[in-house]
C-alpha cells in the first residue's frame, strides 16, 4: 500500500498541479531588436543543473524547474526557441557563458566579479534567504546572533557575496550542491546551511533529510534575474520587455505549479504527522514574519522606483541621462521608419566651461550646469527631449523637425543663455550648438557624430553660435 502526498513548500498544505498554459503575447520590439532576432534562429541557455525547485537538469537530460516554465513563456513571447546547453555544475555554466557557448544564464545576480562578461535583467522573483539547522536551535532572525558559527552555501552562488558583504568575517564554507551542504549540517560539520526557503524544503523532502529544520528567515533576499552575455545588449532589452509583459497571474501560476512536490511513501502515518507538524511550524514562522516581510516589500518597491529613476536620469540636473536619450533616439528612429516623420538632433556645449570651474570652483560650475538644464526644460517645446550628454554637453532630440526648425530651436536657446545673468561678475556664460537632421538608413552614431562635427565647427568660429551640418 502506498500513500500519495502533495506538500506545498511555503504556506499552503495542498495545491493541484496543472501544466502551464500561456496565451501568446506580442512584445513591442524596436527595429534593432527585431533585426537581432531575425539573425538568430535560437537562444542558447545554460542553467544550474541542481538547484531545484528553481532549475535543474533531470535524469533524462531535460531542463526542469520553475525557471524552465518562465523561459518557456518568454520563448513564446519572443518567438524563438530556447535551447539548453547541458553543463554538469553551476561553475561550468559560468565558464560557458564567458566562453560564449551560451547566450543566457537561466538565473543570475549582478555582482562585480561577473560584470566583465554578464549583465542581468530586472528581477522577476524575490525570495528571502533562510537557515537550515538541527531542530534544537532557537529561531534566528539575524546572523549577528550566531556570527561565531560555521555556515555552508553552494559554491559560486551570488548569495555568498550578499551574505559576506552584510556580515564581514562570517565563516562560510562552500559545497558543490545543496544536498552536500545539508549533509554537512546534518553531520555536525557546519552550524547551518543558507539558501532560499523553497530550495531548502525541496532538497530536504526530495532527499529524505528529516533531521534538520528551518530555524530562521533572514532579512537578506535573493532577487531572481536572467543573466545575459554582455556583448548581447539587444537580447537584454528583449528579455526585459518579456519580463515586463509577464502578468502576475502567469507568474503565480508557474510558482503554484512548481512549489508542490509529490512523493511516494510506504504507509507510515508517523512520518505524515511529522511532515504536517513541520509545515505547521513553517506556517507559524511565516505568519510571524508577515508584517516584517510586508514592510520590507513596501520599502523594496520604493527602492526599485528610485533605482529606475536613477538609471534613467542624471544625478546633478535631473534630466534624462545618456542611456535614456539613446532609448528616445531609438523611438524617434522607429517613428521615422514607420511614418517617414523627419527628426533632428542638437548637441549643445557650454563655452569656456573650464574657465568657470577654474575661476569659481566646481560647486559654482555645477550650479551653472543645473541652471542651464532648468532653462532647457522650461523653454524647449513639449515634444522635444533634452538630456545631459556628458560633462557640460546636452543633447536634444527634436521629433517632427528638419534642419531649419531645429536651428530655430537652437538659436532660441542660444540667445536665452547669452542674455541670462549667471551671477559670475564679469564672466558671461554662452553656449555653442551643432544641428543636424537624420538621414535615411544611417546608423544612430553617424547622426550624432554629424551633430558633434557641427558643434566643433561652431567652436572653431568663435563660440556662442549655431552651426547646421
Amino acid at each position: 500500500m502506498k500513500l500519495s502526498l502533495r506538500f506545498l513548500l511555503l504556506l499552503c498544505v495542498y495545491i493541484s498541479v496543472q501544466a502551464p498554459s500561456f496565451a501568446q503575447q506580442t512584445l513591442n520590439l524596436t527595429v534593432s531588436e527585431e533585426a537581432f532576432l531575425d539573425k538568430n534562429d535560437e537562444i542558447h541557455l545554460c542553467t544550474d543543473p541542481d538547484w531545484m525547485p528553481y532549475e535543474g537538469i533531470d535524469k533524462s537530460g531535460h531542463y526542469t524547474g520553475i525557471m524552465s516554465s518562465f523561459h518557456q513563456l518568454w520563448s513564446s513571447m519572443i518567438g524563438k526557441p530556447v535551447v539548453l546547453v547541458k553543463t554538469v555544475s553551476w561553475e561550468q555554466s559560468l565558464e560557458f557563458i564567458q566562453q560564449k557557448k551560451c547566450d543566457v544564464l537561466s538565473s543570475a545576480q549582478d555582482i562585480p566579479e561577473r560584470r566583465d562578461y554578464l549583465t542581468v535583467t530586472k528581477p522577476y522573483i524575490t525570495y528571502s534567504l533562510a537557515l537550515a539547522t538541527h531542530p534544537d536551535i532557537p529561531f534566528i532572525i539575524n546572523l549577528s546572533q550566531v556570527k561565531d558559527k560555521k555556515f555552508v552555501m553552494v559554491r559560486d552562488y551570488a548569495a555568498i557575496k550578499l551574505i559576506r558583504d552584510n556580515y564581514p568575517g562570517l565563516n562560510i564554507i562552500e559545497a558543490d550542491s545543496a544536498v552536500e551542504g545539508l549533509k554537512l549540517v546534518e553531520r555536525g560539520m557546519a552550524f547551518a546551511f543558507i539558501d532560499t526557503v523553497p530550495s531548502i524544503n525541496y532538497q530536504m523532502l526530495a532527499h529524505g533529510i528529516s533531521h534538520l529544520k528551518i530555524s530562521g528567515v533572514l532579512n537578506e533576499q535573493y532577487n531572481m534575474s536572467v543573466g545575459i552575455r554582455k556583448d548581447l545588449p539587444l537580447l537584454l532589452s528583449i528579455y526585459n520587455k518579456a519580463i515586463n509583459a509577464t502578468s502576475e497571474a502567469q507568474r503565480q501560476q508557474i510558482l503554484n505549479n512548481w512549489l508542490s512536490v509529490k512523493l511516494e511513501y510506504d504507509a507510515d502515518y508517523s512520518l505524515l504527522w511529522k511532515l504536517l507538524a513541520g509545515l505547521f511550524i513553517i506556517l507559524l514562522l511565516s505568519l510571524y514574519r508577515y508584517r516584517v516581510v510586508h514592510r520590507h516589500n513596501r520599502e523594496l518597491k520604493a527602492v526599485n522606483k528610485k533605482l529606475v529613476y536613477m538609471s534613467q536620469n542624471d544625478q546633478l540636473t535631473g534630466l534624462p541621462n545618456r542611456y535614456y536619450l539613446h532609448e528616445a533616439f531609438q523611438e524617434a528612429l522607429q517613428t521615422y521608419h514607420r511614418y517617414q516623420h523627419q527628426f533632428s538632433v542638437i548637441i549643445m556645449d557650454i563655452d569656456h566651461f573650464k574657465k568657470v570651474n577654474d575661476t569659481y570652483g566646481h560647486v559654482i560650475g555645477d550650479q551653472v550646469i543645473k541652471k542651464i538644464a532648468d532653462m532647457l526644460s522650461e523653454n524647449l517645446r513639449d515634444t522635444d527631449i533634452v538630456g545631459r550628454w556628458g560633462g557640460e554637453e546636452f543633447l536634444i532630440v527634436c521629433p517632427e523637425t528638419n534642419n531649419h526648425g531645429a536651428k530655430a530651436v537652437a538659436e532660441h536657446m542660444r540667445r536665452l543663455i547669452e542674455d541670462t545673468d549667471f551671477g559670475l561678475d564679469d564672466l558671461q556664460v554662452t553656449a555653442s550648438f551643432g544641428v543636424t537632421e537624420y538621414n535615411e538608413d544611417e546608423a544612430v552614431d553617424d547622426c550624432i557624430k554629424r551633430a558633434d562635427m557641427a558643434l566643433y565647427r561652431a567652436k572653431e568660429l568663435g563660440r556662442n553660435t549655431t552651426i547646421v551640418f
Side-chain angles (χ1 to χ4, degrees):
M1 175 180 176
K2 289 191 173 181
L3 178 65
S4 177
L5 304 176
R6 287 181 183 268
F7 294 101
L8 184 61
L9 299 180
L10 288 176
L11 299 180
C12 301
V13 175
Y14 175 85
I15 186 166
S16 61
V17 179
Q18 302 175 5
S21 57
F22 304 120
Q24 180 73 31
Q25 292 175 255
T26 302
L27 303 180
N28 185 20
L29 300 180
T30 65
V31 173
S32 300
E33 290 165 347
E34 291 176 343
F36 172 86
L37 291 177
D38 288 341
K39 293 178 181 178
N40 295 273
D41 296 329
E42 56 193 25
I43 299 169
H44 298 102
L45 176 143
C46 286
T47 186
D48 187 334
D50 184 22
W51 194 34
M52 293 295 288
Y54 299 119
E55 56 189 6
I57 300 175
D58 63 20
K59 293 179 180 179
S60 301
H62 297 138
Y63 182 33
T64 186
I66 292 172
M67 292 308 305
S68 68
S69 295
F70 273 110
H71 282 283
Q72 175 188 343
L73 169 61
W74 297 330
S75 174
S76 69
M77 291 180 178
I78 295 170
K80 292 292 179 179
V82 174
V83 178
L84 174 68
V85 178
K86 296 178 185 177
T87 55
V88 297
S89 66
W90 175 241
E91 184 178 9
Q92 188 179 53
S93 291
L94 290 174
E95 292 172 358
F96 272 28
I97 197 86
Q98 293 178 67
Q99 296 165 4
K100 300 184 179 181
K101 294 181 180 179
C102 48
D103 310 314
V104 171
L105 279 180
S106 176
S107 65
Q109 283 206 14
D110 179 28
I111 58 176
E113 291 82 356
R114 299 175 185 169
R115 288 175 186 164
D116 289 341
Y117 61 90
L118 192 71
T119 56
V120 300
T121 64
K122 62 177 291 184
Y124 51 89
I125 314 176
T126 298
Y127 280 112
S128 295
L129 293 174
L131 298 173
T133 68
H134 281 277
D136 57 337
I137 301 300
F139 186 71
I140 300 167
I141 298 177
N142 191 298
L143 289 181
S144 298
Q145 299 172 243
V146 287
K147 60 184 178 181
D148 58 329
K149 304 294 184 181
K150 183 183 294 185
F151 299 86
V152 60
M153 300 180 73
V154 178
R155 191 184 319 280
D156 290 326
Y157 278 16
I160 295 178
K161 177 172 174 53
L162 173 65
I163 295 297
R164 281 181 170 153
D165 287 347
N166 289 349
Y167 304 94
L170 199 69
N171 187 0
I172 299 175
I173 58 177
E174 297 182 17
D176 291 331
S177 67
V179 177
E180 180 185 331
L182 289 167
K183 293 286 187 182
L184 288 174
V185 176
E186 195 174 37
R187 294 196 297 267
M189 299 177 67
F191 172 76
F193 174 69
I194 303 177
D195 205 332
T196 63
V197 174
S199 179
I200 291 173
N201 273 284
Y202 184 98
Q203 297 294 343
M204 287 197 301
L205 289 172
H207 296 280
I209 301 173
S210 58
H211 304 299
L212 302 179
K213 71 166 187 178
I214 290 181
S215 60
V217 180
L218 305 177
N219 291 327
E220 287 73 22
Q221 295 180 321
Y222 189 94
N223 296 319
M224 297 275 195
S225 300
V226 178
I228 309 291
R229 268 176 35 201
K230 192 170 183 179
D231 61 328
L232 300 176
L234 290 174
L235 187 58
L236 173 67
S237 175
I238 292 168
Y239 261 85
N240 271 325
K241 289 182 178 179
I243 290 170
N244 285 334
T246 303
S247 69
E248 188 58 34
Q250 290 170 325
R251 199 184 309 265
Q252 197 58 51
Q253 180 184 356
I254 291 174
L255 295 179
N256 287 347
N257 286 352
W258 280 102
L259 291 182
S260 178
V261 179
K262 183 177 181 181
L263 300 174
E264 298 290 335
Y265 291 103
D266 290 334
D268 184 350
Y269 292 100
S270 64
L271 179 60
L272 170 62
W273 285 113
K274 288 179 182 178
L275 291 172
L276 290 176
L279 287 171
F280 181 68
I281 292 172
I282 293 173
L283 177 60
L284 289 179
L285 291 175
S286 298
L287 291 174
Y288 174 79
R289 293 282 296 166
Y290 172 76
R291 292 190 61 147
V292 176
V293 172
H294 185 65
R295 174 168 55 84
H296 285 177
N297 284 342
R298 290 201 311 269
E299 293 173 354
L300 181 61
K301 287 180 181 179
V303 170
N304 284 339
K305 185 176 180 180
K306 185 176 180 180
L307 288 175
V308 170
Y309 178 84
M310 291 175 63
S311 70
Q312 296 180 344
N313 294 82
D314 174 58
Q315 186 176 359
L316 172 64
T317 64
L319 291 178
N321 59 18
R322 200 177 186 118
Y323 171 80
Y324 184 91
L325 287 170
H326 181 75
E327 292 294 312
F329 206 114
Q330 293 296 331
E331 290 182 12
L333 193 61
Q334 195 170 10
T335 302
Y336 174 83
H337 287 301
R338 184 174 298 174
Y339 304 111
Q340 297 301 307
H341 290 180
Q342 184 62 58
F343 69 94
S344 296
V345 176
I346 303 171
I347 296 182
M348 186 210 94
D349 184 83
I350 304 173
D351 295 330
H352 300 296
F353 186 71
K354 184 177 183 302
K355 187 175 181 180
V356 174
N357 279 336
D358 291 345
T359 304
Y360 298 96
H362 288 278
V363 173
I364 299 300
D366 286 348
Q367 292 177 4
V368 171
I369 290 176
K370 181 69 169 62
K371 186 169 184 177
I372 289 180
D374 293 341
M375 293 169 63
L376 291 170
S377 298
E378 295 167 2
N379 292 279
L380 288 172
R381 303 171 302 179
D382 291 339
T383 55
D384 296 331
I385 301 169
V386 60
R388 190 178 180 189
W389 193 240
E392 61 269 23
E393 285 190 341
F394 297 84
L395 185 141
I396 307 167
V397 179
C398 301
E400 311 283 343
T401 308
N402 58 17
N403 270 337
H404 180 73
K407 181 181 180 182
V409 171
E411 275 294 289
H412 171 68
M413 292 310 308
R414 184 189 65 79
R415 289 192 295 269
L416 188 64
I417 294 170
E418 182 183 26
D419 296 338
T420 298
D421 182 8
F422 287 83
L424 302 183
D425 299 330
D426 57 346
L427 182 60
Q428 182 184 25
V429 175
T430 60
S432 301
F433 294 77
V435 179
T436 191
E437 65 183 29
Y438 177 75
N439 292 334
E440 187 173 4
D441 295 331
E442 72 174 340
V444 170
D445 290 344
D446 291 338
C447 182
I448 294 175
K449 182 178 179 180
R450 205 163 55 253
D452 203 46
M453 292 170 64
L455 173 64
Y456 182 77
R457 182 59 175 161
K459 294 283 188 180
E460 283 186 330
L461 293 176
R463 296 178 170 79
N464 191 22
T465 188
T466 300
I467 295 294
V468 179
F469 193 95

